[in-house]
Amino acid sequence: MKQVLFAYENSRQLNAKLGEIGRLRGDLPLKLLFQIYTEQNNFNQLTEVCNTVVSVFPDALCIGSSCNGSFVGGAFSGKSVTVSCTIFEQPSSRIGILQYPLDQDQARARADDLVREVEKRPWITAVQLLAASPAMSYTDFCKGLSALRREVQVFGGVAGRINDEIPSYVFSNRHGFSESAVICILYGGENLHVETTSVSGWKPLGRNFTVTKANKNILWELDNQPAFETYSKYLNIQNDYYFSQNTLEFPLFYYGSGDNIFRCPIACSEEGALMLAADIPMGTFVRISYGDPQSIMDSVRIGAGRLSKFCPDAIFLYASVARKSFWGEKDVNKETLPFNTIASTSGAVTACEFLRTNGIVNLHNSVMALVAMREGPADFSKQKVAVFADSLSDGKVSVISRLANFTNVSSAELMEMYNKMTKNSITDGLTDLYNRAEIQRRIEERFAEFPAEKMSLVMIDIDNFKSVNDTFGHKEGDNVIMGLSKQIQMASFENAPDADAGRWGGEEFMIMLPDMGAKEAVAFAEAVRTGFSKLEFELVGKKTISLGVTELRKGDTSDSICVRVDDALYKAKKTGKNKVVVL
């Protein structure tokens, strides 16, 4: 496998490069794949480039897309049009092309079509995707592609938008230009090997937010507030013309589909809803993330090490526009040039990136998807190690890292304080069980949500407790109360893990047992009673408890069942104590 890469300058230079490719190909029927990426809206020039390529090599495949920049030799080109030609030299290597119209309503159907076509071609080992519908949700499309044979690699990108007037597009010499299609390049053959990996380095920042309202790729609310307010409040980003540009470097982060996922908002509605490239399910915990330079380069080193061991002939990359925005055109080469020291590297800046990991196809933002190819077995004698620049950048790197660390530590401390305050507001300070207000609230909540489902209550009172305080003091009384609370916790852990237990007041306790009838509740109560009776306290010795049990009946309210269990406890106290009474 050989590659010829160049940035287009003029027709004379183009013809010279095509002549070079012709000499490399010679008279052999070697397969050629041209990939053309462009930042321009000059369709006449782009058409001229494509037509010239096809006129010289009629049997070649020629594909490409609009983008937000491209790479030649691992370096950001800064030119409007770049061309990479891959020459497949092994006779067994095969390439093909399919193209489908793609929109929201037909996303799953198109994925199913592609899966069927791949199944017809057992030689396929990898599929490259170039799509041109950035405003749609790709979730159904990706889910459908996960049904591909597990050994089939999937990679690629969503075409970048040139400007507000010119939408994104893809093109090929077989199917022409399209603003709503996906081009599928098929790779295979017994001697063609493909390895994929990704580079991230984006890290979560601050606290978790919960997705409380979403519809497919429209994220309406986080923590029951308009999703936009998260960016407005914490990053001072306004809902204006520059919103999507300003949020590029701060995608939403969550874990899903077996991978860390980043989602950059594409647009924001007047109501504060965020449009994304794929769905975020309801109830998902998300965080704003940021690019950490050191973490990015650590991720690059890991990715480069993996591809180096593969001994590739060529490397293709699809780098998120967020990464270009983060580094800037001047410094973006820091994370891409090292790959060119391993093998000839080319690629594009994309709006989103496709990558299959552990059998699951995901659409990413903020990552760099990397694809290494070679023909034939790995030649470790020619293995190359990535070369990195001596230093990262100027002092802003340490400032970004320290500010992010400060924010994360501060958020963690605030969250810890909040959790402590929340716990203190619902628990009893002595026993660490729920306080009366919380256990009562939970009983009422159970009635409101599951009024007809099985439930029992157990109420407990320490026998002759007043004499403990009067004779031995309140400290010993506290020891007895804590001993009973630990016995309740132990019995709950062993016999009723869903139980809710609380201190009802003084030496009285209330336990709610969801999904338990009276028979099971009595067994639970007996376990608490007998376990407590065996405890030996330092001053008072052994103590006993009385327990009341009742089961939910038809027509009960939270008040009526609490009154009945109290009556059961009262009966246990009046008829001899140290017993369980059921009403």
Side-chain angles (χ1 to χ4, degrees):
M1 180 182 293
K2 292 187 175 68
Q3 275 203 308
V4 176
L5 316 175
F6 59 96
Y8 174 79
E9 296 176 1
N10 51 50
S11 57
R12 181 178 178 180
Q13 177 240 18
L14 174 61
N15 282 305
K17 288 294 183 181
L18 295 179
E20 178 185 340
I21 294 168
R23 288 189 293 275
L24 289 172
R25 187 186 197 188
D27 296 328
L28 299 174
L30 305 182
K31 300 171 183 66
L32 303 180
L33 173 64
F34 286 84
Q35 299 191 54
I36 303 173
Y37 297 104
T38 178
E39 290 184 83
Q40 66 166 299
N41 57 9
N42 186 340
F43 289 97
N44 291 332
Q45 186 181 71
L46 189 58
T47 302
E48 179 185 347
V49 173
C50 294
N51 288 344
T52 301
V53 168
V54 175
S55 67
V56 176
F57 302 109
D59 59 336
L61 292 182
C62 185
I63 59 96
S65 73
S66 58
C67 65
N68 297 102
S70 50
F71 299 90
V72 174
F76 189 78
S77 72
K79 300 293 184 179
S80 59
V81 179
T82 59
V83 180
S84 73
C85 175
T86 305
I87 305 171
F88 296 88
E89 299 178 290
Q90 292 282 342
S92 62
S93 295
R94 302 175 69 174
I95 54 175
I97 186 170
L98 297 171
Q99 183 166 325
Y100 300 101
L102 188 63
D103 59 31
Q104 184 70 69
D105 295 334
Q106 297 182 327
R108 184 55 183 263
R110 297 292 77 79
D112 293 343
D113 290 341
L114 178 55
V115 170
R116 281 192 293 269
E117 291 300 320
V118 171
E119 288 302 312
K120 294 177 184 177
R121 300 166 172 83
W123 54 268
I124 294 176
T125 57
V127 177
Q128 175 185 348
L129 304 172
L130 286 180
S133 303
M136 65 173 275
S137 168
Y138 283 88
T139 297
D140 290 342
F141 185 65
C142 290
K143 284 183 178 178
L145 293 183
S146 296
L148 287 165
R149 296 192 307 272
R150 195 170 180 85
E151 68 271 16
V152 176
Q153 305 271 19
V154 179
F155 57 87
V158 176
R161 192 181 183 93
I162 297 173
N163 54 47
D164 289 337
E165 288 74 35
I166 304 297
S168 60
Y169 56 87
V170 295
F171 57 86
S172 71
N173 61 320
R174 303 291 172 84
H175 303 281
F177 287 78
S178 176
E179 298 173 5
S180 57
V182 58
I183 295 175
C184 313
I185 302 93
L186 314 174
Y187 299 88
E190 60 185 15
N191 289 315
L192 181 62
H193 305 279
V194 180
E195 178 80 1
T196 63
T197 190
S198 65
V199 166
S200 179
W202 256 246
K203 298 171 67 176
L205 180 68
R207 70 178 184 87
N208 281 327
F209 302 90
T210 304
V211 176
T212 50
K213 185 180 179 182
N215 181 18
K216 289 192 175 293
N217 63 322
I218 306 299
L219 177 58
W220 286 94
E221 292 181 359
L222 293 171
D223 289 352
N224 297 306
Q225 299 296 319
F228 157 73
E229 291 186 8
T230 303
Y231 283 98
S232 174
K233 179 178 180 180
Y234 293 94
L235 296 173
N236 196 29
I237 293 176
Q238 304 306 310
N239 188 6
D240 55 21
Y241 179 81
Y242 300 100
F243 174 77
S244 59
Q245 178 180 335
N246 290 333
T247 57
L248 270 177
E249 296 177 31
F250 302 98
L252 295 174
F253 161 86
Y254 70 100
Y255 182 81
S257 299
D259 205 351
N260 291 331
I261 305 295
F262 298 89
R263 291 276 175 261
C264 292
I266 298 171
C268 183
S269 71
E270 293 181 0
E271 297 83 6
L274 305 181
M275 178 182 289
L276 310 171
D279 307 357
I280 297 184
M282 290 274 288
T284 301
F285 294 114
V286 302
R287 294 168 71 179
I288 292 174
S289 63
Y290 74 103
D292 176 69
Q294 189 61 58
S295 294
I296 290 172
M297 294 310 298
D298 288 344
S299 186
V300 169
R301 283 183 169 84
I302 293 171
R306 179 176 178 179
L307 296 190
S308 174
K309 294 175 182 177
F310 180 73
C311 299
D313 296 327
I315 296 175
F316 304 96
L317 62 85
Y318 306 89
S320 168
V321 66
R323 306 182 79 87
K324 175 191 171 187
S325 175
F326 172 80
W327 287 110
E329 293 185 7
K330 178 182 177 182
D331 288 334
V332 71
N333 292 346
K334 293 181 183 298
E335 68 171 7
T336 56
L337 273 174
F339 293 100
N340 197 63
T341 60
I342 300 172
S344 177
T345 300
S346 62
V349 178
T350 48
C352 309
E353 300 74 50
F354 294 105
L355 194 64
R356 191 179 197 184
T357 306
N358 297 322
I360 300 173
V361 179
N362 282 313
L363 186 72
H364 296 269
N365 295 125
S366 304
V367 308
M368 179 162 59
L370 292 149
V371 186
M373 291 189 185
R374 74 163 190 270
E375 291 181 297
D379 186 350
F380 294 104
S381 66
K382 298 180 180 179
Q383 180 180 353
K384 297 180 181 179
V385 178
V387 178
F388 291 83
D390 293 335
S391 61
L392 256 180
S393 188
D394 53 31
K396 73 176 182 179
V397 170
S398 60
V399 173
I400 292 172
S401 298
R402 289 188 174 94
L403 284 175
N405 185 70
F406 172 80
T407 302
N408 282 330
V409 172
S410 298
S411 296
E413 290 175 345
L414 288 171
M415 184 58 68
E416 183 179 359
M417 291 173 60
Y418 172 78
N419 290 337
K420 286 181 179 179
M421 291 173 61
T422 301
K423 181 181 178 182
N424 289 340
S425 70
I426 65 173
T427 57
D428 174 66
L430 179 62
T431 64
D432 212 29
L433 300 177
Y434 292 126
N435 57 30
R436 176 163 181 163
E438 180 62 17
I439 189 64
Q440 194 162 7
R441 185 193 70 79
R442 287 173 176 260
I443 293 171
E444 292 171 352
E445 183 179 66
R446 176 77 182 185
F447 267 85
E449 295 184 358
F450 309 103
E453 293 196 9
K454 188 161 57 173
M455 181 191 79
S456 293
L457 292 183
V458 176
M459 196 170 184
I460 306 173
D461 183 83
I462 301 173
D463 295 331
N464 306 313
F465 182 74
K466 186 175 183 300
S467 65
V468 176
N469 284 333
D470 292 346
T471 305
F472 302 101
H474 288 280
K475 183 176 181 181
E476 182 70 354
D478 287 348
N479 288 337
V480 174
I481 288 174
M482 287 189 290
L484 177 55
S485 70
K486 290 178 181 177
Q487 194 62 40
I488 292 171
Q489 290 173 322
M490 185 181 301
S492 298
F493 177 78
E494 293 176 351
N495 305 302
D498 294 330
D500 285 327
R503 188 179 180 189
W504 199 248
E507 69 274 23
E508 289 186 335
F509 294 80
M510 181 75 81
I511 306 164
M512 180 175 67
L513 301 170
D515 305 318
M516 271 197 187
K519 184 178 180 180
E520 300 100 321
V522 167
F524 172 87
E526 283 290 353
V528 177
R529 187 188 67 81
T530 56
F532 180 74
S533 68
K534 296 175 184 177
L535 297 179
E536 186 84 29
F537 296 98
E538 183 179 359
L539 300 178
V540 75
K542 293 183 178 181
K543 291 295 294 177
T544 62
I545 54 176
S546 298
L547 305 93
V549 174
T550 192
E551 181 181 6
L552 179 66
R553 300 173 186 172
K554 186 176 181 180
D556 262 336
T557 65
S558 59
D559 288 336
S560 68
I561 194 173
C562 286
V563 168
R564 192 165 62 251
V565 75
D566 187 60
D567 290 342
L569 174 61
Y570 180 79
K571 186 175 180 180
K573 301 284 286 186
K574 289 298 183 182
T575 58
K577 302 179 182 178
N578 190 23
K579 63 170 63 174
V580 177
V581 171
V582 184
L583 287 181

